[in-house]
Amino acid sequence: MKSTICIFFTLILTFYFSTKVQAQVVDSIQTITQTDSLRIISFTDSLKNDSSFVDQGLGVKISKDAVTETVNYGAADSNWTSITLNQIRLYGKANIKYQDFSIDGDSVMVDFDKDMAYAYVDISQYKRSEEYPKFKSGETEAAYNKLAFNFKTKKAFVNQVRTQEGEFFLLGDQSKYVNADADSTLSSDIFYNKDALITTCNAPHPHFGIRALKLKIIPNELAVVGPSQLEIFGVPTPLVLPFGFFPLVKGQSSGLIFPKSYDYNAQLGFGFREIGYYFPLNDYMDARVTGDIYTRGTHAIRVTSNYRKKYAYTGNIRIGYNNNILENAEGDPQSAKSFSLGISHNQDAKAHPYRTIGGSINLSTNLYDQRTYNDATSVLNSTTNSNFSFNYRWPDSPFKLSVAMEHSQNTQTRRMNITLPRAALTMNSINPFKRKNSSGEERWYERIVLGYGASMKNYVETTDTTLFTTETLDNIQAGLNHAANLSTNFRALNYINVSPSVNYEETYFLRTFERTLNNDLVFDTTVVGRAADGSEITRIDTTFGVIEDKYVTSFRPYRNFNVGISANTQLFLTKTFSKGFIRGLRHIAKPSVNFGYSPDTRSIYTEYVDSDFRDEFNNPIAYNPFQGRLYNASLNQEAMALSWSINNVFEGKYFSKKDTLEKKFKFFENVAIGGNYNFAADSLQWSDISINGTTRIFKGLSNLNISALMTPYELDANNRRTNTLLIKSQRKLVDLVYFRANFNTGITFKEIKNIFEGKERNESEQRGDAVTGNPTKKMRSFTDMFENFRISHNLAVAIEPSRFTGRDTLTISTHGIQFTGSIPLSEKWSIQVGNFSYDFQSKKFIYPSFSFARDLHCWNMSFAWYPSRDVYSFFIGVSSNALNFIKYDYGQRNPQVLFGNSGLGF
């Protein structure tokens, strides 16, 4: 027993001193910690500047060539240490760290005698490239198959290296890695690769790439290749590059934008579309300049700049110019130029507590969008609007300032309305007589409210073709306006709200409308027939003087005021039932009565122009010198009118057997009836009675809007009112002038499916297993493909009674149906219906557009067809923007649309 103990003790001492001798590369302290199956061993350097430092515990000298810093290593499976060979071998999720260099692998061996680390990775056991173990050096990171790394030289030889730089995946069959610290002539780490592949496909075996015999990579800077060849699915193609440079700079970098498509058109010739250059201007702003060019002269240029400053603002600027050149019927070149300007600016809410600036500006001329793009939105949209403003609110003050530019444009009629500038100073309503430290009951005069606002603006109506001409300047309207109002409110009989008010406004017009008669004689010749000899018989009409309209510079005030008092309340009529399907009905009526007075402005401001310079034939024509859309300065006779209106809501309750609960529903959400009686008028004192209503039906899927007009007077043949009341002539109160109804429905196939399944409209949206909530989830049935497909239906009808036949005329002014949406045929295939509309009135389709797309992992394939314009396109290309010049794009453009034929139907 004693001998056994002695042998065991001797073995322990032998192992202890052997470990100390072998640890020439480490400190005298060795720490071993074990967590689960992971063993991490740390060697801590205690060397001094003296290369012959002797360990005080053992008296062993440390070699000059020994590793001088901590080496951490571990493995999830097992590790093997050889004291004789001075090696460590790690298995299963092995890792080793030395300075800023680390290696992860399936197995790693460290040879301390040679200062080498060898690693191996079995790539076949990993499904995604993101899961590959990697080696890292500073910010450089790469996956590999085999690796040999020298701790002293910091160089590595790598087989099957795979590194990602931005959107690029760089693969090398045999590679050499050189750390910048190992060579004083290098400023960055470098990979030298042989038989390399550059791609943007992240598949383990890339679907495409540029195969290069030699590749030099400077991480985060540049990749340089020698002779290279495009390779698709491992098959070389005839496309060869003699050399290439690929920027690997992270973030923004300048670069060429390859053409989006290569076109050929019989009239335009060969051309490139969307070729250009991108460059960042600074840390906050960039620029993208692209253009189109065709061999027969057609060209276009577009400049787009995006800017952003964190916690301050964001926006973009877009400028476009297009010049389409085609030959006319005589063979002469014909040019159609168009221009577009777009600005969008949004200020961050945290930028300033009192000042904001932002909005959008969208200007275009000569059908720019319709002639440049083919999508349904660009072709069918005929209106554009702009609103850009600066707003400032004074702190602790009711005043605020707004300066804005406004614009509206109809691209079909080419009419433009521009307001520049519009400045307004407004005051929030205040209570001028309210006590600051009031106590007790509020007095009646404390409820008096004062409001005030002032503004000035310039306004012009023009066309996009005359925008930058003197004609636009001649038609500018300018003026200033300020208005004040005083009001209060109180209750009468506890249930009636009474609100008296006084309003006053004053407008100064700096340019007014003027009509003048010149003394020109105008002869209008009209052919009315032919004589027996075949000669034409003409009639000559002579006009003695022509009326000319223009705006002239002047300074003329317009003043107006009105006073009024209104009263309103609410009435409830309810009927309940204890059994049956209908459990209750309720009618909410909100009657309102208003009495107001406004003075006569027609006799004060009306002006007249002669219609004929001959006195005996002259019949002066009245006109308003303030007409236009600058400010509302209507000229009216004196009015003292009593107005009335009743807003009605009809709703009820029904018993749901499914939920055993009573649920509410509405017949009509709002039905308004109103009219007035003018005491100051000498005739036609009663106004027409208007009826307007709206409601939602089919569980909110459809909207129904109705409007009707009834008159208490007889109408003549031209549907104008006469001064004869129907109650006197026909013994009835009112007669119908017209009735109009608009029925709009918008529904998706998913909602139709829910209706048939008895689900609530938003029930599937509330569930977590909804198909639309998880796009990658497989479809459960065939109908799931159409869940995002939308159907829109619009029907507008009008009924107008005939005064002569006594029969009503039914007119359908609008009747159309539209289909839009996407159909995912599979996880990779989809069909997009941009617009598929049919107009039942014109009996034609309205600009249909279709496309389908196929996701090819790292490639995209699509086909688009616009039959109304005889335009189609086919595209297949790399998805990544870095290599988007690798593509095939074929299409046809119809040159007829370049000269105003919008092609809205067929």
Coordinates of all heavy atoms in Angstrom, one line a residue, residues 119-193:
A119 N -6.5 24.8 -38.9 CA -7.9 24.6 -38.7 C -8.6 24.0 -39.9 O -8.1 24.1 -41.0 CB -8.5 26.0 -38.4
Y120 N -9.7 23.3 -39.6 CA -10.5 22.6 -40.6 C -11.9 22.8 -40.4 O -12.4 22.8 -39.3 CB -10.1 21.2 -40.7 CG -11.0 20.3 -41.6 CD1 -10.7 20.4 -43.0 CD2 -12.0 19.6 -41.1 CE1 -11.5 19.6 -43.8 CE2 -12.8 18.8 -42.0 CZ -12.6 18.9 -43.3 OH -13.4 18.2 -44.2
V121 N -12.7 23.0 -41.5 CA -14.2 23.2 -41.4 C -14.8 22.2 -42.5 O -14.4 22.2 -43.6 CB -14.6 24.6 -41.7 CG1 -16.1 24.7 -41.8 CG2 -14.1 25.6 -40.6
D122 N -15.8 21.5 -42.0 CA -16.6 20.6 -42.9 C -17.8 21.4 -43.4 O -18.8 21.5 -42.7 CB -17.0 19.3 -42.2 CG -17.7 18.4 -43.2 OD1 -17.8 18.7 -44.4 OD2 -18.2 17.4 -42.7
I123 N -17.7 22.1 -44.6 CA -18.8 23.0 -45.0 C -20.1 22.2 -45.3 O -21.1 22.7 -45.2 CB -18.3 23.7 -46.3 CG1 -17.1 24.6 -45.9 CG2 -19.4 24.5 -46.9 CD1 -16.5 25.3 -47.1
S124 N -20.0 20.9 -45.6 CA -21.2 20.2 -46.0 C -22.2 20.0 -44.9 O -23.4 19.8 -45.2 CB -20.7 18.8 -46.5 OG -20.1 18.1 -45.4
Q125 N -21.8 20.2 -43.7 CA -22.7 20.1 -42.6 C -23.5 21.4 -42.3 O -24.3 21.4 -41.4 CB -22.0 19.6 -41.3 CG -21.0 20.6 -40.8 CD -20.4 20.0 -39.5 OE1 -21.0 19.4 -38.7 NE2 -19.1 20.4 -39.3
Y126 N -23.2 22.4 -43.0 CA -23.9 23.7 -42.8 C -24.8 24.0 -44.0 O -24.4 23.9 -45.1 CB -22.9 24.8 -42.6 CG -21.9 24.6 -41.4 CD1 -20.7 24.1 -41.6 CD2 -22.4 25.0 -40.1 CE1 -19.8 23.9 -40.5 CE2 -21.5 24.8 -39.0 CZ -20.3 24.2 -39.2 OH -19.5 24.0 -38.2
K127 N -26.0 24.4 -43.6 CA -27.0 24.7 -44.7 C -26.9 26.1 -45.3 O -27.2 26.3 -46.4 CB -28.4 24.5 -44.1 CG -28.8 23.1 -43.7 CD -30.2 23.0 -43.1 CE -30.5 21.5 -42.7 NZ -31.9 21.4 -42.2
R128 N -26.5 27.0 -44.5 CA -26.4 28.4 -44.9 C -25.0 28.9 -44.7 O -24.3 28.5 -43.8 CB -27.4 29.3 -44.2 CG -28.8 28.9 -44.4 CD -29.7 29.9 -43.7 NE -29.4 30.1 -42.3 CZ -29.9 31.0 -41.5 NH1 -30.7 31.9 -42.0 NH2 -29.6 31.1 -40.2
S129 N -24.6 29.8 -45.6 CA -23.2 30.3 -45.5 C -23.0 31.2 -44.3 O -21.9 31.3 -43.8 CB -22.9 31.2 -46.8 OG -23.8 32.3 -46.9
E130 N -24.1 31.7 -43.8 CA -24.0 32.6 -42.6 C -23.6 31.7 -41.4 O -23.1 32.3 -40.4 CB -25.3 33.3 -42.3 CG -25.7 34.3 -43.3 CD -26.4 33.8 -44.5 OE1 -26.5 32.5 -44.6 OE2 -26.7 34.5 -45.4
E131 N -23.8 30.4 -41.4 CA -23.4 29.5 -40.3 C -22.0 29.1 -40.3 O -21.5 28.4 -39.4 CB -24.4 28.3 -40.3 CG -25.9 28.7 -40.2 CD -26.7 27.5 -40.3 OE1 -26.2 26.4 -40.6 OE2 -28.0 27.6 -40.1
Y132 N -21.2 29.3 -41.4 CA -19.9 28.8 -41.5 C -19.0 29.4 -40.4 O -19.1 30.6 -40.1 CB -19.3 29.2 -42.9 CG -19.9 28.6 -44.1 CD1 -19.5 29.0 -45.4 CD2 -20.8 27.6 -44.0 CE1 -20.1 28.4 -46.5 CE2 -21.4 27.0 -45.1 CZ -21.0 27.4 -46.3 OH -21.5 26.8 -47.4
P133 N -18.2 28.6 -39.8 CA -17.2 29.1 -38.9 C -16.2 30.0 -39.6 O -15.9 29.8 -40.8 CB -16.5 27.9 -38.3 CG -17.4 26.7 -38.5 CD -18.2 27.1 -39.8
K134 N -15.6 31.0 -39.0 CA -14.8 32.0 -39.6 C -13.6 32.2 -38.9 O -13.5 31.9 -37.7 CB -15.6 33.3 -39.8 CG -16.9 33.2 -40.7 CD -17.6 34.5 -40.7 CE -18.9 34.4 -41.6 NZ -19.9 33.4 -41.1
F135 N -12.6 32.8 -39.6 CA -11.4 33.4 -38.9 C -11.5 34.9 -39.0 O -11.9 35.4 -40.0 CB -10.1 32.8 -39.4 CG -9.7 33.3 -40.7 CD1 -8.9 34.5 -40.8 CD2 -10.0 32.7 -41.9 CE1 -8.5 35.0 -42.1 CE2 -9.6 33.1 -43.1 CZ -8.9 34.3 -43.2
K136 N -11.0 35.6 -38.0 CA -11.1 37.0 -37.9 C -9.8 37.6 -37.6 O -9.0 37.1 -36.8 CB -12.2 37.5 -36.9 CG -13.6 36.9 -37.1 CD -14.5 37.4 -36.0 CE -15.9 36.8 -36.2 NZ -16.8 37.2 -35.1
S137 N -9.5 38.8 -38.2 CA -8.3 39.6 -37.9 C -8.7 41.0 -37.9 O -8.9 41.6 -39.0 CB -7.2 39.3 -38.9 OG -6.1 40.1 -38.6
G138 N -8.9 41.6 -36.7 CA -9.4 42.9 -36.7 C -10.8 43.0 -37.2 O -11.7 42.3 -36.8
E139 N -11.1 43.8 -38.2 CA -12.4 43.9 -38.9 C -12.5 43.0 -40.0 O -13.6 42.8 -40.6 CB -12.6 45.4 -39.4 CG -12.7 46.4 -38.2 CD -13.0 47.8 -38.7 OE1 -13.1 47.9 -40.0 OE2 -13.1 48.7 -37.9
T140 N -11.4 42.3 -40.4 CA -11.4 41.3 -41.5 C -12.0 40.0 -41.0 O -11.6 39.5 -40.0 CB -10.0 41.1 -42.1 OG1 -9.5 42.4 -42.5 CG2 -10.1 40.1 -43.3
E141 N -12.9 39.4 -41.8 CA -13.6 38.2 -41.4 C -13.8 37.3 -42.7 O -14.2 37.9 -43.7 CB -14.9 38.5 -40.8 CG -15.7 37.3 -40.3 CD -17.0 37.7 -39.6 OE1 -17.0 38.3 -38.6 OE2 -18.1 37.4 -40.2
A142 N -13.6 36.0 -42.6 CA -13.7 35.1 -43.7 C -14.0 33.7 -43.3 O -13.5 33.3 -42.2 CB -12.4 35.2 -44.6
A143 N -14.8 33.0 -44.1 CA -15.0 31.6 -43.9 C -14.0 30.9 -44.7 O -13.4 31.4 -45.6 CB -16.5 31.2 -44.3
Y144 N -13.8 29.5 -44.4 CA -12.8 28.8 -45.0 C -13.1 27.3 -44.9 O -14.0 26.9 -44.3 CB -11.4 29.1 -44.3 CG -11.4 28.6 -42.9 CD1 -10.9 27.4 -42.6 CD2 -11.9 29.4 -41.9 CE1 -10.9 26.9 -41.3 CE2 -12.0 29.0 -40.6 CZ -11.4 27.7 -40.3 OH -11.4 27.3 -39.0
N145 N -12.2 26.5 -45.6 CA -12.3 25.1 -45.5 C -11.1 24.5 -44.8 O -11.2 23.7 -43.8 CB -12.3 24.4 -46.9 CG -12.3 22.9 -46.9 OD1 -11.4 22.3 -47.4 ND2 -13.3 22.3 -46.3
K146 N -9.9 25.0 -45.1 CA -8.6 24.7 -44.4 C -7.8 25.9 -44.2 O -7.8 26.8 -45.1 CB -7.8 23.6 -45.2 CG -8.5 22.3 -45.3 CD -7.6 21.3 -46.1 CE -8.3 20.0 -46.3 NZ -7.4 19.0 -47.0
L147 N -7.1 26.0 -43.1 CA -6.3 27.2 -42.8 C -5.1 26.9 -42.0 O -5.1 26.0 -41.2 CB -7.2 28.2 -42.0 CG -6.6 29.5 -41.5 CD1 -7.6 30.6 -41.5 CD2 -6.1 29.3 -40.0
A148 N -4.0 27.6 -42.4 CA -2.7 27.5 -41.6 C -2.3 28.9 -41.3 O -2.1 29.7 -42.2 CB -1.7 26.8 -42.4
F149 N -2.2 29.2 -40.0 CA -1.9 30.6 -39.6 C -0.6 30.6 -38.7 O -0.4 29.8 -37.8 CB -3.0 31.1 -38.8 CG -2.8 32.5 -38.2 CD1 -2.7 33.6 -39.0 CD2 -2.5 32.6 -36.8 CE1 -2.5 34.9 -38.4 CE2 -2.3 33.9 -36.2 CZ -2.3 35.0 -37.0
N150 N 0.3 31.6 -39.0 CA 1.5 31.7 -38.2 C 1.4 32.9 -37.3 O 1.1 34.0 -37.7 CB 2.7 32.0 -39.2 CG 4.0 32.0 -38.5 OD1 4.3 32.8 -37.7 ND2 4.8 31.0 -38.8
F151 N 1.6 32.6 -36.0 CA 1.4 33.6 -34.9 C 2.4 34.7 -35.1 O 2.1 35.9 -34.7 CB 1.5 33.0 -33.5 CG 0.3 32.1 -33.2 CD1 0.5 30.7 -33.3 CD2 -0.9 32.6 -32.9 CE1 -0.6 29.9 -33.0 CE2 -1.9 31.8 -32.6 CZ -1.8 30.4 -32.6
K152 N 3.6 34.4 -35.5 CA 4.7 35.4 -35.5 C 4.6 36.3 -36.8 O 4.6 37.6 -36.7 CB 6.0 34.7 -35.5 CG 6.4 34.1 -34.2 CD 7.8 33.5 -34.2 CE 8.8 34.6 -34.5 NZ 10.2 34.0 -34.4
T153 N 4.4 35.8 -37.9 CA 4.3 36.6 -39.2 C 2.9 37.1 -39.4 O 2.8 38.0 -40.3 CB 4.8 35.7 -40.4 OG1 3.9 34.6 -40.5 CG2 6.2 35.2 -40.2
K154 N 1.9 36.5 -38.8 CA 0.6 36.9 -39.0 C 0.1 36.8 -40.4 O -0.6 37.6 -41.0 CB 0.3 38.3 -38.5 CG 0.5 38.5 -37.0 CD 0.1 39.9 -36.5 CE 0.3 40.1 -35.0 NZ -0.1 41.4 -34.6
K155 N 0.6 35.7 -41.0 CA 0.2 35.3 -42.4 C -0.5 34.0 -42.3 O -0.3 33.2 -41.4 CB 1.4 35.2 -43.3 CG 2.1 36.6 -43.5 CD 3.3 36.4 -44.4 CE 4.0 37.7 -44.6 NZ 5.2 37.6 -45.6
A156 N -1.4 33.8 -43.3 CA -2.2 32.6 -43.3 C -2.3 32.1 -44.8 O -2.4 32.9 -45.7 CB -3.6 32.8 -42.7
F157 N -2.3 30.8 -44.9 CA -2.7 30.1 -46.2 C -4.0 29.5 -46.0 O -4.2 28.7 -45.0 CB -1.6 29.1 -46.6 CG -0.3 29.7 -47.0 CD1 0.7 29.9 -46.1 CD2 -0.1 30.1 -48.3 CE1 1.9 30.5 -46.4 CE2 1.1 30.7 -48.7 CZ 2.1 30.9 -47.7
V158 N -4.9 29.8 -46.9 CA -6.3 29.4 -46.8 C -6.8 28.7 -48.0 O -6.5 29.1 -49.1 CB -7.2 30.6 -46.5 CG1 -8.6 30.1 -46.1 CG2 -6.7 31.5 -45.4
N159 N -7.5 27.6 -47.8 CA -8.2 26.9 -48.9 C -9.7 27.2 -48.8 O -10.3 27.2 -47.8 CB -8.0 25.4 -48.9 CG -6.6 25.0 -49.3 OD1 -5.8 25.8 -49.8 ND2 -6.2 23.8 -49.0
Q160 N -10.3 27.4 -50.0 CA -11.7 27.7 -50.1 C -12.1 28.8 -49.2 O -13.1 28.7 -48.4 CB -12.5 26.4 -49.7 CG -12.2 25.2 -50.6 CD -12.5 25.4 -52.0 OE1 -13.5 26.1 -52.4 NE2 -11.7 24.8 -52.9
V161 N -11.5 30.0 -49.3 CA -11.8 31.1 -48.5 C -13.1 31.7 -49.0 O -13.4 31.7 -50.2 CB -10.7 32.2 -48.5 CG1 -10.5 32.8 -49.9 CG2 -10.9 33.3 -47.5
R162 N -13.9 32.3 -48.1 CA -15.2 32.9 -48.5 C -15.3 34.1 -47.5 O -15.5 34.0 -46.3 CB -16.3 31.9 -48.3 CG -17.7 32.5 -48.7 CD -18.8 31.5 -48.4 NE -20.1 32.0 -48.9 CZ -20.6 31.5 -50.0 NH1 -20.0 30.6 -50.7 NH2 -21.8 32.0 -50.4
T163 N -15.3 35.3 -48.1 CA -15.5 36.5 -47.3 C -16.6 37.4 -48.0 O -16.8 37.4 -49.2 CB -14.2 37.3 -47.2 OG1 -14.3 38.5 -46.4 CG2 -13.7 37.8 -48.6
Q164 N -17.2 38.2 -47.1 CA -18.3 39.1 -47.6 C -17.8 40.5 -47.4 O -17.4 40.9 -46.3 CB -19.6 38.8 -46.9 CG -20.7 39.7 -47.4 CD -22.1 39.4 -46.7 OE1 -22.1 38.5 -45.9 NE2 -23.1 40.1 -47.1
E165 N -17.9 41.3 -48.5 CA -17.6 42.8 -48.4 C -18.8 43.5 -49.0 O -19.0 43.5 -50.2 CB -16.3 43.1 -49.2 CG -15.1 42.4 -48.7 CD -14.6 43.0 -47.3 OE1 -15.0 44.1 -47.0 OE2 -13.9 42.3 -46.6
G166 N -19.6 44.1 -48.1 CA -20.8 44.8 -48.6 C -21.8 43.8 -49.2 O -22.2 42.8 -48.6
E167 N -22.2 44.0 -50.5 CA -23.0 43.1 -51.2 C -22.3 41.9 -51.9 O -22.9 41.0 -52.4 CB -23.9 43.8 -52.2 CG -24.9 44.8 -51.7 CD -25.7 45.4 -52.8 OE1 -26.6 44.7 -53.3 OE2 -25.5 46.6 -53.1
F168 N -21.0 42.0 -51.9 CA -20.2 41.0 -52.6 C -19.8 39.9 -51.7 O -19.5 40.0 -50.5 CB -18.9 41.7 -53.1 CG -19.1 42.6 -54.3 CD1 -19.0 44.0 -54.0 CD2 -19.3 42.2 -55.5 CE1 -19.2 44.9 -55.1 CE2 -19.5 43.1 -56.6 CZ -19.5 44.4 -56.4
F169 N -19.8 38.7 -52.3 CA -19.2 37.5 -51.7 C -18.0 37.1 -52.6 O -18.1 36.9 -53.8 CB -20.2 36.3 -51.7 CG -21.4 36.5 -50.7 CD1 -22.5 37.1 -51.2 CD2 -21.3 36.1 -49.4 CE1 -23.6 37.3 -50.3 CE2 -22.3 36.3 -48.5 CZ -23.5 36.9 -49.0
L170 N -16.8 37.0 -51.9 CA -15.6 36.8 -52.6 C -15.1 35.4 -52.2 O -14.8 35.2 -51.1 CB -14.6 37.9 -52.3 CG -15.1 39.3 -52.5 CD1 -14.1 40.3 -52.0 CD2 -15.4 39.6 -54.0
L171 N -14.9 34.5 -53.2 CA -14.5 33.2 -53.0 C -13.2 32.9 -53.7 O -13.0 33.3 -54.9 CB -15.6 32.2 -53.5 CG -16.9 32.1 -52.7 CD1 -17.8 33.3 -53.0 CD2 -17.6 30.8 -53.1
G172 N -12.2 32.2 -53.0 CA -11.0 31.9 -53.6 C -10.6 30.4 -53.3 O -10.8 29.9 -52.2
D173 N -10.1 29.8 -54.4 CA -9.8 28.3 -54.2 C -8.5 28.2 -53.3 O -8.5 27.4 -52.4 CB -9.6 27.7 -55.5 CG -9.3 26.2 -55.4 OD1 -10.1 25.5 -54.8 OD2 -8.3 25.7 -56.0
Q174 N -7.5 29.0 -53.6 CA -6.3 29.0 -52.8 C -6.0 30.5 -52.5 O -6.0 31.3 -53.4 CB -5.2 28.4 -53.5 CG -5.4 26.9 -53.7 CD -4.2 26.3 -54.5 OE1 -3.2 26.9 -54.7 NE2 -4.3 25.0 -54.9
S175 N -5.8 30.8 -51.2 CA -5.6 32.2 -50.8 C -4.5 32.3 -49.9 O -4.1 31.4 -49.1 CB -6.9 32.7 -50.2 OG -8.0 32.6 -51.0
K176 N -3.9 33.5 -49.9 CA -2.8 33.9 -48.9 C -3.3 35.2 -48.2 O -3.7 36.1 -48.9 CB -1.5 34.1 -49.6 CG -0.4 34.6 -48.7 CD 0.9 34.8 -49.5 CE 2.0 35.4 -48.6 NZ 3.2 35.6 -49.3
Y177 N -3.3 35.1 -46.9 CA -3.7 36.3 -46.2 C -2.4 36.9 -45.5 O -1.6 36.2 -44.9 CB -4.7 35.9 -45.1 CG -4.9 37.0 -44.1 CD1 -5.7 38.1 -44.4 CD2 -4.4 36.9 -42.8 CE1 -6.0 39.1 -43.4 CE2 -4.6 37.9 -41.8 CZ -5.4 39.0 -42.2 OH -5.6 40.0 -41.2
V178 N -2.3 38.3 -45.6 CA -1.2 39.0 -45.0 C -1.8 40.1 -44.2 O -2.5 40.9 -44.7 CB -0.3 39.6 -46.1 CG1 0.9 40.4 -45.5 CG2 0.2 38.5 -47.1
N179 N -1.4 40.1 -42.9 CA -1.9 41.1 -42.0 C -1.0 42.3 -42.1 O 0.2 42.3 -42.3 CB -1.8 40.6 -40.5 CG -2.5 41.5 -39.5 OD1 -1.9 42.5 -39.1 ND2 -3.7 41.1 -39.1
A180 N -1.6 43.5 -42.0 CA -0.9 44.8 -42.2 C 0.2 44.9 -41.1 O 1.2 45.6 -41.4 CB -1.9 45.9 -42.1
D181 N 0.0 44.3 -39.9 CA 1.0 44.5 -38.9 C 2.3 43.7 -39.2 O 3.4 44.0 -38.7 CB 0.5 44.0 -37.6 CG -0.7 44.9 -37.1 OD1 -0.8 46.0 -37.6 OD2 -1.5 44.4 -36.3
A182 N 2.2 42.7 -40.1 CA 3.3 41.9 -40.4 C 4.2 42.5 -41.5 O 5.4 42.1 -41.7 CB 2.9 40.5 -40.9
D183 N 3.7 43.5 -42.2 CA 4.5 44.2 -43.3 C 4.3 45.7 -43.1 O 3.2 46.2 -43.3 CB 4.0 43.7 -44.6 CG 4.9 44.1 -45.8 OD1 5.7 45.1 -45.6 OD2 4.9 43.4 -46.8
S184 N 5.4 46.4 -42.9 CA 5.4 47.8 -42.6 C 5.0 48.6 -43.9 O 4.6 49.7 -43.8 CB 6.7 48.3 -42.1 OG 7.7 48.0 -43.1
T185 N 5.1 47.9 -45.0 CA 4.7 48.6 -46.3 C 3.2 48.6 -46.6 O 2.8 49.2 -47.5 CB 5.5 48.0 -47.5 OG1 5.1 46.6 -47.6 CG2 7.0 48.0 -47.3
L186 N 2.5 47.8 -45.8 CA 1.0 47.7 -46.0 C 0.3 48.5 -45.1 O 0.6 48.6 -43.9 CB 0.6 46.2 -45.9 CG 1.3 45.2 -46.8 CD1 0.7 43.8 -46.5 CD2 1.0 45.5 -48.3
S187 N -0.8 49.2 -45.6 CA -1.7 50.0 -44.7 C -2.9 49.2 -44.4 O -3.7 49.6 -43.5 CB -2.0 51.3 -45.4 OG -2.7 51.0 -46.7
S188 N -3.2 48.1 -45.1 CA -4.4 47.3 -44.8 C -4.1 45.9 -45.0 O -3.1 45.5 -45.7 CB -5.6 47.7 -45.7 OG -5.9 49.1 -45.6
D189 N -4.9 45.0 -44.4 CA -4.8 43.6 -44.7 C -5.1 43.3 -46.2 O -5.8 44.0 -46.8 CB -5.8 42.8 -43.8 CG -5.6 43.0 -42.3 OD1 -4.5 43.6 -42.0 OD2 -6.4 42.6 -41.5
I190 N -4.5 42.2 -46.7 CA -4.7 41.8 -48.1 C -4.9 40.3 -48.2 O -4.3 39.5 -47.5 CB -3.4 42.2 -48.9 CG1 -3.3 43.7 -48.9 CG2 -3.6 41.7 -50.3 CD1 -2.0 44.2 -49.7
F191 N -5.8 39.9 -49.1 CA -6.0 38.6 -49.5 C -5.5 38.4 -51.0 O -5.9 39.2 -51.8 CB -7.5 38.2 -49.5 CG -8.0 37.8 -48.1 CD1 -8.7 38.8 -47.3 CD2 -7.8 36.5 -47.6 CE1 -9.2 38.4 -46.1 CE2 -8.3 36.2 -46.4 CZ -9.0 37.2 -45.6
Y192 N -4.7 37.4 -51.2 CA -4.3 37.1 -52.6 C -5.0 35.8 -52.9 O -4.7 34.8 -52.2 CB -2.8 37.0 -52.7 CG -2.0 38.3 -52.4 CD1 -1.5 38.5 -51.2 CD2 -1.8 39.2 -53.4 CE1 -0.8 39.7 -50.9 CE2 -1.1 40.4 -53.2 CZ -0.6 40.6 -51.9 OH 0.1 41.8 -51.7
N193 N -5.8 35.8 -54.0 CA -6.6 34.6 -54.3 C -6.2 34.1 -55.7 O -6.0 34.8 -56.6 CB -8.1 35.0 -54.3 CG -8.5 35.4 -52.9 OD1 -8.9 34.6 -52.0 ND2 -8.5 36.7 -52.7

